[in-house]
Amino acid sequence: MPKAVTLDQLTGECLLAKDIYINSVVLYRAGTCITSEVAADLERKQIHEISVMDQPVPVYGGRSHQQLSAHQKRALTDRFQNDMAQIANELRYGRILHSESSYQWLLTMYVHEFAEPAVRLLMDSLKQWDPATYIHSIDVFVLCSLYSRHCSGLPSKDFILGSLLHDIGKLYTPKSILLKKGKLTEREYAKVKEHTVKGYQLLKRLGFPRETLRIVRSHHERLTGSGYPDHLDLTARDKDLNLIAMTDVYSALTMKRSYRKPMSAIMALQIILSDSVNRRLFDLQDCYRLINFLHIFPPATQVRLTNGEAGTVLPNPNGSDILPKIKLDRNQKVIQLPRDLSITVKKVIGWDSSVTDSLLRQNWENYLKNLIEGDPLKAAECFESLSDGMRIEDIFTRLLERGEKEIRSGVARKRLRPSDALVASATTQTLLDWNMRKIAGDLKTHMGKVIVANLGSSEIWGQMKMVDNLLAINGWKTYLLAGNADASIIFDLIERKKARYLALGLTEQTQEYMLKRILNRLRRDYPNLILFIHGKRTVKADLPRGSILRSRDLAEFITNMRSCFPEARTARQSPR
């Protein structure tokens, strides 16, 4: 029987008994699993009471569930076809669905998994919470199922179930993060990473198989131990985790996301290859097997053909990735693989990583060149490519600040002129402004107010603009003072805006008198104000410990900024 409860009465997961509407539009349908994040979303929408079912979320019943009726099978078949229509095309799937038997086998697996009430409930809830994560989960299920069948003939059903439910923990990830149109901050990414453990805990409570739990918890682990949540050192023998790790990345890169357009299959495979060779995140031989399975061959892939010849795949932007152009090793002749499939690629035997490394270097050089030329449109194209996959903080340290340093170094070595640095700085400011406009709708103020001012030379102005942007992106309401600020103006703004933070940019040219005035006034009138001091200058001041946070570059500033977050302060105050 349904019962009405207030949100503060909810304990654990429960099932929604009646549809919830806002302005005649269904917000959540009956049968949805109400998690803590769904409850928080309802609270934000001023919905304080809901109707829930008396019975708990169903536990996993193994594979002993009742036979489906003809109507239920038809409904699941239609659902499968609708899901496949969103993901299955030759540009992403290569040849893996060319056979009718593969398609029918996959349909059987899909119906079998969705016939389980607990699985269907969880996937329905995920579809309502974040449709993109739902369809990504279906995509990973398809890739893992067909690849496992291709390799072993009889894939583990518990592994396949894990591939379907691998992201179920995102039911506990805030919608504001999942649907964010810009790149994530480190704090937001930390929330996303919780989905592995949250999903594991949920499925464990519902009695899912051990292998399924392992996949859900560990699908972001890597060979180097650099993954999460347990930093496991995977080996080549961990075939299941290596497979889902690669297919998860491949799917994420090649599907449309809230924050970017889908990437081409060959570019996604190049990234996975590069991560295998340069960062050892994936097993390289497993990567080759995935490429063989998809039959999509990135440029610089070294292949063996069915006629025994060896060669290298060439870039072919207007041709087919399944039937690429090959430069033969034996005589350097370039051939186009024929459409009648009389000659095809038998297997991948290597990959020349220097081609991708060279393209990356060229992209970086083009980025710097466009900054110096004052061409923000072309610089933005390079910037988007270089920043793919980075957190926001990494973009500031590894792209923006690095570019600024390299250009200043070029001026110091007489390879560039001072005017080049000024033009590049102005172009960088344009990129920053464009980026902030794109994400303005996602900005939320929860850290308080901060005054950002430059006491130093114009050399540090660009850095202080970046400091201002980082603070705004991470939850501060910022007031950036243009030019060199006077102490009286700074304190007037602190008083009127009730600011609890002050960020000052300093250089060797900073006026000692003004600095002393500011520090003395802070000590006397604002002892609880947190002061960020950014720049090369070393400041000696008699202020309370922890109230001055010094940084010489953006990496140090980001570390200082993190120390102000509530979770960091709580961690420092909690007993060991």
Side-chain angles (χ1 to χ4, degrees), residues 88-114:
N89 65 71
E90 193 174 79
L91 296 178
R92 297 184 62 250
Y93 276 9
R95 290 183 178 170
I96 66 175
L97 282 175
H98 277 199
S99 111
E100 179 65 21
S101 63
S102 294
Y103 187 87
Q104 291 301 323
W105 177 84
L106 188 64
L107 169 60
T108 300
M109 294 293 293
Y110 181 100
V111 170
H112 183 77
E113 297 300 354
F114 275 83

Side-chain angles (χ1 to χ4, degrees), residues 145-349:
S145 298
L146 291 175
Y147 181 87
S148 299
R149 181 176 185 246
H150 169 76
C151 291
S152 62
L154 292 172
S156 162
K157 291 182 178 178
D158 290 347
F159 166 72
I160 298 304
L161 180 58
S163 70
L164 179 64
L165 296 172
H166 75 283
D167 269 351
I168 201 64
K170 287 186 178 175
L171 286 171
Y172 300 90
T173 305
K175 266 189 178 182
S176 59
I177 294 177
L178 293 175
L179 303 181
K180 185 177 179 182
K181 293 182 179 179
K183 296 182 184 296
L184 300 182
T185 66
E186 289 180 358
R187 283 180 91 194
E188 291 166 336
Y189 185 54
K191 290 292 291 183
V192 170
K193 291 199 293 185
E194 293 174 3
H195 81 277
T196 52
V197 173
K198 294 285 180 68
Y200 166 84
Q201 292 170 340
L202 171 63
L203 298 190
K204 188 175 182 181
R205 288 196 298 274
L206 298 179
F208 278 80
R210 180 178 298 179
E211 186 178 356
T212 300
L213 297 179
R214 178 173 179 264
I215 296 302
V216 170
R217 184 183 182 97
S218 302
H219 65 277
H220 280 285
E221 301 289 0
R222 298 293 185 259
L223 291 180
T224 55
S226 60
Y228 63 88
D230 302 309
H231 307 290
L232 302 179
D233 289 306
L234 301 186
T235 69
R237 293 190 298 274
D238 294 305
K239 297 294 184 186
D240 52 354
L241 293 180
N242 283 323
L243 170 59
I244 194 165
M246 288 189 301
T247 54
D248 187 27
V249 170
Y250 179 77
S251 173
L253 292 175
T254 57
M255 296 188 72
K256 184 179 179 180
R257 313 296 275 190
S258 61
Y259 50 87
R260 64 161 171 76
K261 296 176 183 178
M263 190 179 289
S264 71
I266 59 171
M267 189 175 293
L269 290 171
Q270 283 177 320
I271 288 174
I272 295 172
L273 280 164
S274 179
D275 284 346
S276 301
V277 172
N278 298 326
R279 301 170 64 194
R280 290 201 62 253
L281 298 185
F282 312 110
D283 180 73
L284 185 58
Q285 294 304 316
D286 282 344
C287 187
Y288 291 165
R289 293 184 190 100
L290 178 63
I291 293 172
N292 290 334
F293 166 64
L294 293 170
H295 218 78
I296 296 175
F297 303 98
T301 305
Q302 295 156 352
V303 297
R304 178 80 60 191
L305 304 180
T306 51
N307 65 359
E309 294 267 21
T312 301
V313 177
L314 297 178
N316 190 20
N318 298 318
S320 168
D321 298 330
I322 297 175
L323 298 171
K325 288 184 177 180
I326 309 291
K327 186 176 184 179
L328 300 178
D329 290 350
R330 179 173 55 85
N331 55 13
Q332 304 301 297
K333 181 181 177 182
V334 175
I335 65 168
Q336 170 71 63
L337 294 186
R339 292 189 177 278
D340 64 6
L341 306 183
S342 55
I343 303 174
T344 63
V345 174
K346 182 178 181 181
K347 64 177 181 179
V348 176
I349 56 176

